Amino acid sequence: MDFAPTEEQSAAQGLAARIFGDLSTPERLAVAGTGTDAELWKELCAAGLTAAVEETGLLGLVLLLEEQGRTTAQVPFAASCVYGLLAVARHGTDEQRERLLPALRDGTAVATGAFPSRGGIRADGEDTDADGGGGRLSGSVPYVPWLRDAGLVLVPDREARLWIVRTGDPGVLTEPVETTAPWSAARLVLDGAAGERLGGAGAYGAVLAAARTAFAGLQAGVCAGSLARAVAHVNTREQFGRPLSTKQGVLLRAADAHMDIEAIRVTAYEAAWRYDTGLPYGPQALTAAWWASEAGKRVVHTGQHLHGGTGADLDHPVHRHFLWGRQLDAYLGRGGELLQELGDSLVKEGTE
């Protein structure tokens, strides 16, 4: 295994770090509220970072999402790339790729996914089992991140088949909802909405695993940003004439948080590397998602606790990392659910 980034991946990561660092400031985030920073999204797309994901692969996307997480930048980068760009590129027909990918590359079209499947969507129609076929979808999904910005939604039905739905079509209703993190989320209601099949029988599992890997990378960045803020705080905050960073309890908590972040990062890198090289990556994606859930929760709590009373301020930048970390802890499966799913997959693999 070689997780060392390529020259192209390193260049894209460096560019992303500069753009996120310059434009995703606490002041701009406060102005954005719960919505997307449209100017930042345009800047990322104009720099070619969305289109670059096709070349740099899932590992490249994980590296870019780390930089987004460090600043909790409010753009649909993860969702549009993993549920749109990568999903269509890998599972779409030639016609679908030709029609959908150009707009996803330049960011004029934003995609998201009603993931994971909870069995709430029913699909009817003569072509429901045909790759690229059509059907009518009915049902609802309580919340879908970045749905307020999306023109395309990747929707799994009760049979774990994937469908592309356009938010502007008849029978598609979106109702804004507020979640822990400000992700422009909305409730999706389908009433006989037209759907377009994407991929075959295994497409849902493959996209879900890729999404878990991508969002684990985002969690690594969120946690790294939280810890960086905490370290800066304890190095300057004094108690009884000494910086807080000299106290053993503070040092141990920061060290534990660092090791947790490294575990999230390396497991996400492994899953993404296996995806890019065509190796089986399902168990590795579950492992990365488990670390992102369990360790991520610990790290963002540590980041807030090390700020002391300051960490209780809801307007302090570190609180955004706490909110994002807890949202990512629950998104795409909590730790216990992921561990059970991983165990079931290993038993199945051993039986086969």
Side-chain angles (χ1 to χ4, degrees):
M1 293 181 290
D2 182 9
F3 304 151
T6 64
E7 184 178 345
E8 292 77 10
Q9 289 170 338
S10 294
Q13 185 180 20
L15 178 58
R18 181 180 63 78
I19 295 175
F20 284 126
D22 289 346
L23 296 183
S24 185
T25 62
E27 294 76 19
R28 286 176 58 90
L29 290 169
V31 172
T34 62
T36 294
D37 188 333
E39 182 181 343
L40 174 56
W41 179 243
K42 290 179 182 178
E43 185 72 20
L44 292 168
C45 296
L49 288 175
T50 47
V53 171
E54 275 189 282
E55 299 297 326
T56 60
L58 184 56
L59 181 55
L61 176 59
V62 165
L63 294 171
L64 297 178
L65 293 177
E66 277 193 72
E67 301 306 325
Q68 178 186 357
R70 291 179 199 276
T71 60
T72 60
Q74 288 180 199
V75 287
F77 202 172
S80 194
C81 286
V82 78
Y83 296 126
L85 198 67
L86 291 180
V88 173
R90 175 161 288 205
H91 303 287
T93 63
D94 290 340
E95 188 277 331
Q96 287 173 325
R97 287 193 288 269
E98 183 178 352
R99 171 165 46 91
L100 299 174
L101 285 179
L104 290 168
R105 290 185 189 115
D106 63 22
T108 54
V110 172
T112 189
F115 277 57
S117 174
R118 302 297 187 189
I121 301 297
R122 185 183 75 254
D124 301 303
E126 295 182 358
D127 298 327
T128 54
D129 292 318
D131 188 5
R136 293 288 171 178
L137 307 182
S138 298
S140 64
V141 181
Y143 83 95
V144 179
W146 306 111
L147 182 57
R148 297 181 219 170
D149 304 315
L152 302 173
V153 190
L154 195 57
V155 181
D157 65 15
R158 294 174 181 174
E159 307 300 323
R161 296 171 297 197
L162 288 182
W163 301 87
I164 299 172
V165 173
R166 290 169 176 76
T167 55
D169 284 356
V172 181
L173 176 66
T174 61
E175 303 170 343
V177 297
E178 300 301 331
T179 60
T180 304
W183 286 358
S184 295
R187 180 170 181 256
L188 177 67
V189 180
L190 303 177
D191 184 11
E196 177 185 350
R197 274 298 304 276
L198 179 73
Y204 168 71
V207 173
L208 177 59
R212 283 170 166 164
T213 303
F215 281 96
L218 183 62
Q219 180 74 302
V222 169
C223 291
S226 175
L227 183 59
R229 291 187 181 279
V231 168
H233 176 77
V234 298
N235 276 327
T236 56
R237 178 75 171 180
E238 292 189 357
Q239 190 177 65
F240 305 117
R242 296 171 55 196
L244 288 174
S245 59
T246 62
K247 298 184 180 296
Q248 187 178 48
V250 172
L251 290 170
L252 290 174
R253 289 207 67 180
D256 286 343
H258 172 74
M259 294 305 297
D260 273 336
I261 294 169
E262 288 302 300
I264 300 170
R265 179 178 288 123
V266 73
T267 52
Y269 285 5
E270 180 184 7
W273 174 80
R274 292 179 69 90
Y275 174 96
D276 291 337
T277 54
L279 295 170
Y281 61 97
Q284 287 75 19
L286 284 166
T287 302
W290 182 84
W291 275 105
S293 175
E294 293 293 307
K297 179 168 48 183
R298 289 194 296 266
V299 173
V300 295
H301 274 267
T302 292
Q304 187 149 330
H305 289 167
L306 290 181
H307 278 76
T310 306
D313 183 356
L314 301 185
D315 294 325
H316 194 282
V318 77
H319 189 66
R320 295 183 58 84
H321 292 269
F322 176 78
L323 294 178
W324 277 59
R326 291 312 307 262
Q327 184 74 33
L328 287 163
D329 158 41
Y331 184 52
L332 299 181
R334 290 188 177 276
E337 296 173 309
L338 295 165
L339 201 59
Q340 181 177 349
E341 190 175 337
L342 176 59
D344 292 341
S345 70
L346 293 176
V347 169
K348 181 181 178 180
E349 181 180 329
T351 303
E352 292 175 347

